[in-house]
Amino acid sequence: MSTILPLKSKRDPAFDTMRAILIFLVVFGHSLEYFRLENTPATFLYIFIYLFHMPVFVFISGYFSKNIEKGRQTAVKTFLIPYLIFNLLLSIFMLLTGRIQEVMILNPGWTLWFLYCMFGWRILLPDLVKIRYVLFFSFIFGVLSGLLTEFGTYMAMARTFGFLPYFLAGYFCQQEQIQKIRMFPFRRLISLIIVSVALFVSYLWTKSNLPPELLWGDRAYGLFDTPLYQTFLADLFLYLLSFSFIFVFLTLTSQKRFFFTSWGQHTLSIYLLHIYLIAPLIEATEKIKNPALHFLLLLLGSLITTYLLSLPIVSHQLSKILNKIVQIIMPEKSKEK
């Protein structure tokens, strides 16, 4: 049976570097979740991170989902079962710590929406790619879905449709196209302009007190206090900016390996487990009065968390445990493989 977390595989160092940066931003962004409520610079940084980190991450996930039939066959083992396990564990953890009052199964907790979305995308992909102009229609539907109040956190519906264009763009993107992007004229200057625009947008967003929750993509436009037309236009602009950051990451990363590149080989274990280290970190630092020290501890804690969970032993052990659970739940399929 194929492992849930691959133990060894041939990898592109550039994509591993991208994954490593993005998974650290996921961890760091979650560490800022409460600190940013009382700190304006942290809000600015939080908004900047959320402008692009998950869209680029989803794009990369789509790029590596080209074996659509295998993706559909393994979607339950790879994403649904881990989702159900960790969503239950997270619900119990948050219930015991007083953050929620009931266990929720079909409402993904905190970060686990990504696993649920990946399950849905992998299941639907063989049929989606048969639809003419599906990428264009996914973009249109992604924007319009924000008008539907029934789309929300339940079964991660809002994010499933909202992030679908990035996933499909990654799937349709070919290696030859990526090589052309990496050789694009004035790519560094263009990337600098895109980053500068994102920083300016983050500044304006913070200055105007727009809710950062708009960037989560988990609820309808009408549930925010901002005018409907404003959130609608903001969503359109965010698609443009997020896709621009895919260009930034593809052009600024190279085949060179860095000390953190190996983190990108174990993103799933980091993604699944970091909550259990970040939550205590947030609790331990919340009473610190010095904002600079508070921020520094959150930053260092996020780096340490990402490093520890990227260690091969963590990924290997998690893979073994999940595979054993899959064998218990799906014994016949396991034997066939």
Side-chain angles (χ1 to χ4, degrees):
M1 184 183 74
S2 59
T3 57
I4 298 216
L5 301 175
L7 303 184
K8 289 184 180 180
S9 61
K10 294 181 180 179
R11 309 183 71 103
D12 183 341
F15 276 101
D16 277 340
T17 298
M18 283 189 274
R19 284 193 184 98
I21 295 170
L22 292 167
I23 198 63
F24 166 71
L25 291 178
V26 168
V27 176
F28 186 43
H30 289 150
S31 77
L32 294 174
E33 192 62 57
Y34 295 100
F35 179 59
R36 55 106 179 169
L37 298 176
E38 301 176 354
N39 187 278
T40 301
T43 301
F44 166 81
L45 182 58
Y46 181 89
I47 290 170
F48 177 72
I49 291 171
Y50 273 75
L51 285 175
F52 64 88
H53 75 319
M54 286 311 298
V56 180
F57 208 101
V58 171
F59 171 86
I60 295 173
S61 300
Y63 180 76
F64 287 99
S65 297
K66 289 183 169 37
N67 191 336
I68 57 177
E69 289 304 328
K70 181 180 179 182
R72 172 178 278 180
Q73 293 169 8
T74 60
V76 171
K77 296 183 297 181
T78 307
F79 296 108
L80 182 60
I81 291 177
Y83 161 75
L84 292 172
I85 294 169
F86 280 92
N87 199 55
L88 178 61
L89 290 175
L90 180 62
S91 294
I92 294 172
F93 174 77
M94 297 183 75
L95 189 68
L96 294 176
T97 55
R99 288 182 170 84
I100 59 174
Q101 278 69 53
E102 58 183 356
V103 174
M104 296 177 291
I105 300 299
L106 296 180
N107 278 64
W110 206 351
T111 65
L112 295 173
W113 65 268
F114 177 72
L115 290 185
Y116 200 94
C117 288
M118 281 296 297
F119 165 70
W121 293 330
R122 288 281 184 89
I123 288 290
L124 294 174
L125 190 57
D127 295 314
L128 287 175
V129 297
K130 297 175 183 177
I131 301 173
R132 183 177 294 183
Y133 310 122
V134 65
L135 180 56
F136 172 76
F137 286 118
S138 73
F139 170 74
I140 298 299
F141 193 72
V143 174
L144 295 179
S145 65
L147 300 172
L148 305 176
T149 54
E150 63 263 43
F151 281 12
T153 57
Y154 180 72
M155 296 181 70
M157 292 293 289
R159 282 163 164 159
T160 296
F161 290 104
F163 284 90
L164 179 59
Y166 305 112
F167 184 81
L168 288 175
Y171 169 79
F172 286 116
C173 186
Q174 301 298 319
Q175 188 174 6
E176 296 79 12
Q177 294 170 314
I178 289 180
Q179 292 303 323
K180 289 180 180 179
I181 292 173
R182 287 172 174 168
M183 299 301 294
F184 198 83
F186 307 108
R187 56 192 177 277
R188 295 186 184 278
L189 176 60
I190 295 172
S191 296
L192 179 61
I193 293 172
I194 292 170
V195 173
S196 299
V197 169
L199 290 170
F200 184 62
V201 169
S202 302
Y203 169 77
L204 292 179
W205 201 296
T206 306
K207 197 76 173 176
S208 60
N209 291 319
L210 281 171
E213 290 79 9
L214 276 168
L215 300 169
W216 294 356
D218 68 339
R219 64 198 76 177
Y221 304 142
L223 298 179
F224 293 98
D225 294 331
T226 52
L228 183 61
Y229 80 91
Q230 189 174 354
T231 52
F232 183 80
L233 291 176
D235 206 31
L236 279 173
F237 177 76
L238 288 173
Y239 270 115
L240 176 62
L241 189 59
S242 298
F243 271 107
S244 298
F245 262 93
I246 294 171
F247 176 88
V248 172
F249 272 81
L250 290 176
T251 55
L252 295 187
T253 51
S254 66
Q255 297 296 315
K256 180 181 178 182
R257 290 186 174 273
F258 300 90
F259 72 92
F260 58 84
T261 297
S262 62
W263 301 355
Q265 299 179 20
H266 307 285
T267 54
L268 190 54
S269 59
I270 299 170
Y271 199 90
L272 287 173
L273 300 175
H274 78 275
I275 305 169
Y276 304 98
L277 298 182
I278 288 299
L281 173 67
I282 293 173
E283 293 256 352
T285 58
E286 65 179 358
K287 294 183 179 180
I288 296 176
K289 301 299 182 183
N290 187 315
L293 177 60
H294 193 170
F295 175 82
L296 181 61
L297 289 175
L298 291 176
L299 176 62
L300 290 175
S302 298
L303 284 168
I304 293 170
T305 296
T306 307
Y307 167 72
L308 290 176
L309 297 181
S310 72
L311 294 174
I313 188 173
V314 176
S315 180
H316 286 221
Q317 291 303 315
L318 179 61
S319 178
K320 289 179 181 179
I321 292 171
L322 290 176
N323 282 317
K324 287 180 180 179
I325 294 174
V326 168
Q327 289 175 9
I328 294 172
I329 296 174
M330 306 172 67
E332 293 182 1
K333 290 187 177 182
S334 298
K335 290 177 181 177
E336 289 174 4
K337 290 185 176 288

